Amino acid sequence: IDAVHFAMDNDDGARTLHYNEADVILVGVSRCGKTPTCLYMALKYGIRAANYPLTEEDMERLQLPPALREHKEKLFGLTIDAERLASIRHERRPNSRYASFAQCEFEVREVENLFRRENISNINSTHFSVEEISAKILVHKGIERRLK
């Protein structure tokens, strides 16, 4: 339950001052699966997972936001195919710039460039379930489950 509270309190970049207590911090564009993955890791494994959405402003600066820079070793990136992202966003905000294919393509391209430039491990979440994404993150980061 403590891990679930942590995930909820540290969802969507709402709070960053507790990142030092995180086991992992997921980063990526809005609607790529960060929140459900964090909640699954908390519920299933007791992992303290936070997440931070990388915005267009972050991409324009061409660098990690200051709140993430000091916790770079805890970062793991999620990316997604632009077509799938546009479809998901269209359900949330139909016919908006946010949901346009051009905007989604731009954001995905730039966040992937940022991951490469900053050497942040990442996976494309398009064709994986939350369970599969979580397992890949834990294995890659070498994080031990807290719940047996």
Side-chain angles (χ1 to χ4, degrees), residues 27-29 32 77-81 108-109 111-112 115 122-126:
V27 293
V29 298
C32 70
L78 293 184
T79 187
I80 187 170
D81 291 350
V108 169
R109 181 181 62 247
V111 83
E112 288 175 349
F115 291 161
N122 63 88
I123 60 169
N124 184 313
S125 65
T126 305

Side-chain angles (χ1 to χ4, degrees), residues 20-116:
N20 58 317
E21 299 170 30
D23 295 311
V24 64
I25 303 166
L26 301 186
V27 293
V29 298
S30 172
R31 313 311 294 171
C32 70
K34 297 177 306 295
T35 296
T37 303
C38 285
L39 288 172
Y40 181 82
M41 287 192 290
L43 280 166
K44 183 75 175 176
Y45 303 115
I47 300 301
R48 290 175 162 259
N51 76 75
Y52 188 99
L54 294 168
T55 64
E56 190 171 359
E57 294 80 42
D58 295 323
M59 293 170 219
E60 288 171 357
R61 286 187 211 112
L62 302 174
Q63 60 184 340
L64 284 174
L68 297 179
R69 239 179 274 134
E70 64 186 271
H71 303 289
K72 189 173 171 185
E73 75 285 350
K74 295 181 181 187
L75 301 182
F76 193 92
L78 293 184
T79 187
I80 187 170
D81 291 350
E83 299 86 11
R84 178 71 181 130
L85 182 60
S87 173
I88 292 167
R89 287 181 173 185
H90 182 74
E91 292 299 316
R92 187 175 176 103
R93 291 193 209 151
N95 304 315
S96 65
R97 180 175 175 264
Y98 171 77
S100 73
F101 178 76
Q103 181 65 25
C104 293
E105 187 177 47
F106 165 76
E107 288 183 31
V108 169
R109 181 181 62 247
E110 291 305 308
V111 83
E112 288 175 349
N113 286 339
L114 180 65
F115 291 161
R116 275 191 294 282

